Amino acid sequence: MRYRSTRGGAGVESAASAVVKGIADDGGLFVPDGLPKVPLGMISSMKGMGYAERAYVVMRPFLDELNERELMGCIDRAYSGDAFGGDPAPLSILGDGLAVLELWHGPTCAFKDMALQFLPPLMGVCKGKIGTAVRTLILTATSGDTGKAALEGFRDAEGMEVAVFYPSEGVSAVQRLQMQTQEGSNVHVFGVEGNFDDAQRGVKEIFSDGGIAAEAAAEGWALSSANSINWGRLLPQIAYYFSAYADLLRLGRMGAGDPMNVCVPTGNFGNILAAWYARAMGLPIGRLTCASNMNDVLTEFFATGAYESGRAFHRTMSPSMDILVSSNLERLLYEAAGRDGAAVGSLMKALAEEGRYDASALAAAGAFGPMDAGSADEAETAAAIKGVYDRYGYVMDPHTAVGYAVLGKIAERREADRPDRVGHELLVSTASPLKFAESVHSAIFGPTGAALGWGDLDYVDGLSEGCSIGVPAQFGRLRHAKALHGEVIPKGGMADAVRSIMKGSVRAAR
């Protein structure tokens, strides 16, 4: 399998090269030359497989440079019992037609673990494939969850350093603690004065800066990314949709070939794009629902085809979705435009220079596929958390609750339009509710914690006790962990932070 840029201005790369580089030389994102098809018979046979074997079947065609031992080694290391403590992606059945895909049973209690436990060993193998011995500096912008997952995944990885940039006032208290207390000889964490889009823009500008690239080469470094702009981050996310379908078959909730609708709480568009790819590969997905919080740029885009990033930015209780520039949408645009890299490059140029672009012709032609979109405000999100708990005794984090609230709106419309094609609903749950304990506890029990003067971790204990959910060991360790990374930099200082890492001054200062 070969890979090319969504913007058409870079050469064709091997899978190993695409993973190691992370982003194409022209600033575009790597996409595979084609999407392999998985026959329905093979999907049905996954009922009898474990998660690792399912992941191997899905990812093998995309990584055919790796032999079976190499790929299975990466998969086994990622999804072992040590990392996930059992099934990495279990289902919780809430009703006859609704299942929740829980993707937060990894070491950082967020769905990013599903990819960022796999990417570090994959990158190590891929570096060997292309014969590079230079050190790799992994740059990661995060709205909260990716940062901790990248830090944990790449911690003490040989020949690699990882730098995480997060919005200093735009993550939950637990997310901040998780990053600031991260141990490891090769990890670097910076708060950025701005929002996630500022951090993400800064990382992209570093990649496109020829001067920094030259400095990196002179210092013996290569730059790469752990964000879902890296194909090696996005690919393993495709696998869990096939796994969820196989589990619904195994449980007798559907028959082979029956449609499964998928609702994904969405910020940077990677998780739902993985579902779009799974559908294109033959997984019987009916409709996709792109669920946004008050930062509803994607809702408007799928309604009109117009993308406007220069709009009001809202800080919400679902901070991992507080994003106005969704990077992975570029890959969908590439497919929708008939793989016309020049056309996509023009749209991305308009976004960078004008803060907007117009793809209304693609939207009108139905080129984005069976995509629904909707948004939920803060009151609707809190009501969804409480409503699900009262009805099912199930505790959702705010991001998953956004998905549930939007799904309720969309499902009613679907049933009215085509009751014969409703299908089973799969709601993707992206994080443990304990990562957002204050918001979840307040939604279910009201302002009792505030009245008692609770601190951040008191809400974790209160939610655990009030809803009878266990506290993972990693949360308990946060109470006594030492803060190791407290630096906050201006958004214009990210390039200098990267230079300091490459020159060793950050590490020497510790």
Side-chain angles (χ1 to χ4, degrees):
M1 182 73 75
R2 308 291 285 178
Y3 290 78
R4 62 185 67 245
S5 170
T6 50
R7 302 185 189 180
V12 177
E13 304 276 357
S14 67
S17 179
V19 169
V20 172
K21 280 188 170 184
I23 192 166
D25 293 338
D26 63 355
L29 309 186
F30 284 115
V31 286
D33 260 345
L35 294 174
K37 298 294 184 181
V38 183
L40 184 59
M42 175 59 74
I43 296 171
S44 184
S45 73
M46 290 182 184
K47 290 186 296 183
M49 300 179 186
Y51 188 85
E53 190 176 359
R54 293 170 180 175
Y56 179 85
V57 170
V58 174
M59 292 194 283
R60 181 79 183 101
F62 294 100
L63 299 170
D64 50 5
E65 288 176 81
L66 279 64
N67 61 40
E68 181 178 358
R69 177 184 57 80
E70 290 168 331
L71 180 54
M72 277 306 301
C74 295
I75 291 171
D76 285 340
R77 178 176 162 186
Y79 305 119
S80 68
D82 291 341
F84 285 88
D87 185 353
L91 295 181
S92 282
I93 306 299
L94 295 194
D96 290 339
L98 176 62
V100 178
L101 175 61
E102 295 180 350
L103 299 176
W104 39 265
H105 292 278
T108 76
C109 299
F111 83 98
K112 308 299 176 71
D113 290 326
M114 297 296 296
L116 283 167
Q117 287 295 300
F118 175 75
L119 180 59
L122 174 67
M123 190 169 286
V125 171
C126 288
K127 286 180 69 174
K129 289 291 181 183
I130 64 175
T132 180
V134 300
R135 294 168 293 175
T136 303
L137 175 54
I138 310 294
L139 304 181
T140 303
T142 182
S143 53
D145 288 332
T146 293
K148 173 61 178 178
L151 293 165
E152 188 65 28
F154 283 98
R155 180 182 62 178
D156 295 327
E158 185 177 354
M160 300 184 197
E161 302 275 323
V162 56
V164 165
F165 301 91
Y166 70 92
S168 60
E169 300 299 326
V171 298
S172 78
V174 171
Q175 287 174 318
R176 181 181 292 105
L177 277 171
Q178 284 185 310
M179 289 185 283
Q180 290 183 341
T181 59
Q182 176 67 51
E183 297 180 342
S185 62
N186 65 334
V187 301
H188 313 271
V189 182
F190 302 93
V192 176
E193 295 173 345
N195 58 35
F196 169 75
D197 293 315
D198 294 318
Q200 180 169 249
R201 187 182 307 110
V203 166
K204 288 183 175 179
E205 288 173 352
I206 290 168
F207 277 115
S208 63
D209 187 322
I212 294 180
E215 292 175 45
E219 296 285 344
W221 289 94
L223 303 180
S224 189
S225 175
N227 287 101
S228 54
I229 57 176
N230 190 320
W231 178 256
R233 235 298 297 279
L234 185 64
L235 174 58
Q237 296 179 241
I238 300 173
Y240 48 66
Y241 293 105
F242 282 88
S243 182
Y245 192 90
D247 280 339
L248 288 172
L249 294 180
R250 179 179 55 82
L251 294 170
R253 297 283 171 172
M254 299 191 314
D258 288 348
M260 176 182 74
N261 300 317
V262 178
C263 177
V264 188
T266 306
N268 217 17
F269 204 74
N271 206 1
I272 192 167
L273 179 65
W276 190 95
Y277 277 131
R279 185 180 187 276
M281 292 169 65
L283 189 65
I285 290 177
R287 303 289 302 181
L288 294 165
T289 297
C290 176
S292 300
N293 61 17
M294 293 175 68
N295 296 292
D296 57 355
V297 61
L298 288 169
T299 303
E300 180 177 311
F301 173 75
F302 284 111
T304 67
Y307 197 99
E308 296 273 0
S309 65
R311 53 202 288 141
F313 177 84
H314 301 280
R315 297 194 190 280
T316 72
M317 71 174 80
S318 48
S320 296
M321 298 162 65
D322 291 348
I323 296 172
L324 294 178
V325 180
S326 301
S327 288
N328 267 292
L329 189 59
E330 182 172 340
R331 285 186 167 112
L332 182 62
L333 286 168
Y334 180 76
E335 300 293 345
R339 302 191 141 230
D340 184 342
V344 174
S346 179
L347 293 175
M348 294 301 101
K349 184 173 185 290
L351 181 63
E353 295 179 354
E354 304 167 23
R356 69 177 311 277
Y357 60 80
D358 186 353
S360 55
L362 294 175
F368 301 125
M371 186 76 68
D372 297 316
S375 63
D377 62 23
E378 295 289 84
E380 291 171 321
T381 303
I385 293 171
K386 180 168 177 54
V388 169
Y389 182 71
D390 289 346
R391 183 175 180 182
Y392 301 110
Y394 186 82
V395 186
M396 285 182 172
D397 88 291
H399 304 78
T400 309
V402 167
Y404 184 86
V406 171
L407 182 59
K409 302 175 185 180
I410 298 294
E412 290 177 5
R413 188 169 76 233
R414 282 185 193 153
E415 190 167 3
D417 292 345
R418 289 291 304 276
D420 59 320
R421 297 293 293 170
V422 171
H424 203 289
E425 301 287 353
L426 182 76
L427 173 61
V428 177
S429 182
T430 57
S432 165
L434 294 172
K435 294 193 77 165
F436 308 92
E438 180 176 355
S439 295
V440 176
H441 189 278
S442 298
I444 295 174
F445 299 109
T448 55
L452 294 171
W454 281 1
D456 301 322
L457 295 178
D458 294 322
Y459 280 101
V460 173
D461 295 336
L463 185 62
S464 170
E465 294 169 6
C467 297
S468 301
I469 52 179
V471 178
Q474 55 265 48
F475 283 92
R477 288 194 292 269
L478 287 177
R479 191 177 299 278
H480 306 291
K482 178 183 177 182
L484 302 173
H485 314 276
E487 186 172 359
V488 176
I489 60 176
K491 57 188 177 184
M494 292 172 60
D496 286 339
V498 169
R499 290 186 177 97
S500 70
I501 294 169
M502 293 191 296
K503 294 182 181 300
S505 60
V506 169
R507 179 180 295 166
R510 286 194 187 139

